[in-house]
Amino acid sequence: MSEISMAQALNAALRDAVKDDDRVLIFGEDVGPLGGVFRVTDGITADFGEERCFDTPLAESGIVGFAVGMAMGGFRPVVEMQFDAFAYPAFEQITSHVAKLRNRTRGALSLPMVIRIPYAGGIGGVEHHCDSSEAYYTHTPGLRVVTPGTPQDAYDLLRDAIDSPDPVIFLEPKCRYWSKEPVSFTREGAAMDRAVVRREGKDVTLIAYGPMVATALETAEAATAEGWDVEVVDLRSLSPFDDETVAASVRRTGRAVVVHEAAGFGGYGAEVVARITEQCFHQLHAPVLRVTGLDIPYPPPKLERHQLPDVDRILDTVARLQWNDEPVVAGA
């Protein structure tokens, strides 16, 4: 296995998909000769030609609308939105057409397409370049929403997303593009809709996804100094949600903290907390807590560190989990 970055793993996944399936097309703003803002599509146009990887006008609604037509015509388009908040002009296309066409046609038409969105913060960008928009998409039935937390998952999940018969929102954590690890191209990892336990522990479950997976693992290591044995669950698939893996972990540990960059109010973590509470109530030793971004528009680069959950904030939250109390008993 070669040690490569997440951006390189995504590039390899796109290359292999284009090579293996003539129906796969890659297009978006600056994805052609430039190779994308983050160089995820670097060299693909040169190696496979402009008919397989090409630039489009700066019109996100047009990009997604074009992809809808291509998918209806039998192709498998993979489009890039360049930055998270740049995708909002295409939101009507995504929610009204991409998510609903299979249902609208009673299964006669499907849209096997992938919408790649570099998302979240950690790169010192300004507000239209560092948004965490996952809750908008997970709230929309008809869409699969996935996000890798490691280079290996970047490769595996993107290959699975391109092969999926359903439309997939593929959220790429920008701050992890340059993280590296050995990557195998055998596609032997977990299925696209399954969460995975990244670190086993017995005292508390940290639930994270995308950019926060590495932060959760760092926190788990730091927690040993406090005497806490922390389990880390990487959701990978935000929709559909893997209740089985998450609930099994929380039932083992009896405590849970959900971590994400997006704002807390109405955020994705609220759904995770609700599902855990409904399914694991009698095994919980404390209320399920969240560590999230602030309920504000994304701050300027010099203030970004205050917005992003970090090890200290997560450890402070773990400390609030009623370690000296008896387990909660229904009706008590």
Side-chain angles (χ1 to χ4, degrees), residues 78-101:
V78 182
V79 303
E80 180 183 298
M81 293 286 98
Q82 197 169 79
F83 284 97
D84 30 48
F86 289 12
Y88 297 147
F91 195 66
E92 192 277 332
Q93 292 278 9
I94 294 170
T95 57
S96 295
H97 303 294
V98 175
K100 295 181 173 64
L101 189 66

Side-chain angles (χ1 to χ4, degrees), residues 154-165:
Y155 180 85
D156 291 339
L157 283 174
L158 186 52
R159 291 300 310 274
D160 289 347
I162 295 171
D163 287 346
S164 173

Side-chain angles (χ1 to χ4, degrees), residues 179-191:
S179 62
K180 290 186 175 183
E181 72 172 359
V183 173
S184 167
F185 304 118
T186 58
R187 301 180 66 183
E188 296 177 351

Side-chain angles (χ1 to χ4, degrees), residues 23-141:
R23 298 172 298 171
V24 176
L25 303 175
I26 302 167
F27 51 93
E29 299 168 7
D30 297 324
V31 302
L34 178 65
V37 172
F38 299 99
R39 301 300 186 267
V40 171
T41 56
D42 188 40
I44 295 179
T45 297
D47 292 343
F48 294 95
E50 291 188 348
E51 68 276 7
R52 303 297 302 278
C53 180
F54 52 89
D55 291 333
T56 65
L58 305 183
E60 287 77 13
S61 181
I63 293 170
V64 174
F66 180 53
V68 169
M70 296 297 285
M72 291 173 65
F75 290 93
R76 287 182 175 267
V78 182
V79 303
E80 180 183 298
M81 293 286 98
Q82 197 169 79
F83 284 97
D84 30 48
F86 289 12
Y88 297 147
F91 195 66
E92 192 277 332
Q93 292 278 9
I94 294 170
T95 57
S96 295
H97 303 294
V98 175
K100 295 181 173 64
L101 189 66
R102 183 192 293 275
N103 184 71
R104 183 181 298 137
T105 63
R106 297 185 181 182
L109 287 173
S110 61
L111 294 180
M113 57 185 288
V114 178
I115 301 175
R116 294 180 42 243
I117 304 177
Y119 87 117
I123 63 166
V126 293
E127 59 181 352
H128 288 95
H129 298 73
C130 291
D131 205 3
S132 295
S133 47
E134 58 267 31
Y136 299 134
Y137 301 112
T138 58
H139 184 70
T140 306

Side-chain angles (χ1 to χ4, degrees), residues 243 247 251 270-284 288:
D243 288 287
R251 289 177 183 131
E271 174 66 23
V272 180
V273 171
R275 299 176 87 90
I276 293 172
T277 302
E278 291 168 358
Q279 298 175 48
C280 307
F281 180 78
H282 296 289
Q283 290 81 32
L284 288 173
V288 184

